[in-house]
Amino acid sequence: EVTEKLEEAVMIWIKQIRQILVESEQMRREADDIGPSAELEHWKTRMSSFNSLLDEIKSSRVKKIINILQAARSKTLKQWKELDGNITIAANEAKDNVRYLYTLDKFFGPLAKASPV
């Protein structure tokens, strides 16, 4: 009975995480004249979202539930592990893009703020 309740909770988490992943992969529309700063802000927001999601997944409460389901040999863990990997990949992608765009902004930021002369 406890295992069933925990599986239900994990299935709700899986559904919510899938929704976050789908939303993050959707195309965003922007004006053609935006610069690296707007792109940097987008990736910083995305990095923050995925890092907070990773922090929640690594919390002791979630780990305890996953450990109980592992002991019960729950079938929902296959989906959970797949999503955990996808979140990690998305968080790493966002982190890499933020690092790259910070470098661009460092060099091109003064050009955007200064006069052409």
Side-chain angles (χ1 to χ4, degrees):
E1 191 176 309
V2 172
T3 303
E4 288 177 18
K5 292 290 185 189
L6 294 177
E7 284 178 339
E8 288 174 15
V10 170
M11 289 307 292
I12 291 170
W13 296 344
I14 287 171
K15 183 178 177 183
Q16 291 170 341
I17 291 169
R18 280 190 178 141
Q19 182 66 30
I20 291 169
L21 288 170
V22 166
E23 288 173 4
S24 73
E25 292 300 320
Q26 291 176 347
M27 292 290 289
R28 61 191 168 110
R29 297 176 188 248
E30 294 177 344
D32 291 335
D33 60 347
I34 66 159
S37 297
E39 189 73 11
L40 177 60
E41 286 305 313
H42 166 75
W43 284 103
K44 281 172 43 178
T45 302
R46 189 169 166 171
M47 182 179 75
S48 174
S49 297
F50 282 114
N51 283 342
S52 65
L53 190 55
L54 281 174
D55 289 343
E56 186 65 30
I57 287 172
K58 292 177 183 177
S59 71
S60 63
R61 180 178 70 112
V62 173
K63 283 186 175 184
K64 286 176 187 175
I65 291 172
I66 297 302
N67 287 337
I68 291 168
L69 291 177
Q70 282 176 337
R73 300 180 192 261
S74 174
K75 294 179 181 177
T76 58
L77 290 179
K78 182 178 179 183
Q79 295 174 41
W80 178 257
K81 288 180 182 180
E82 179 184 327
L83 282 178
D84 190 16
N86 291 343
I87 293 166
T88 303
I89 289 168
N92 288 339
E93 176 190 28
K95 183 174 128 186
D96 290 344
N97 285 338
V98 166
R99 187 179 309 132
Y100 173 72
L101 289 168
Y102 261 130
T103 303
L104 281 181
D105 196 48
K106 178 180 165 185
F107 292 105
F108 291 112
L111 291 175
K113 295 172 186 161
S115 67
V117 179

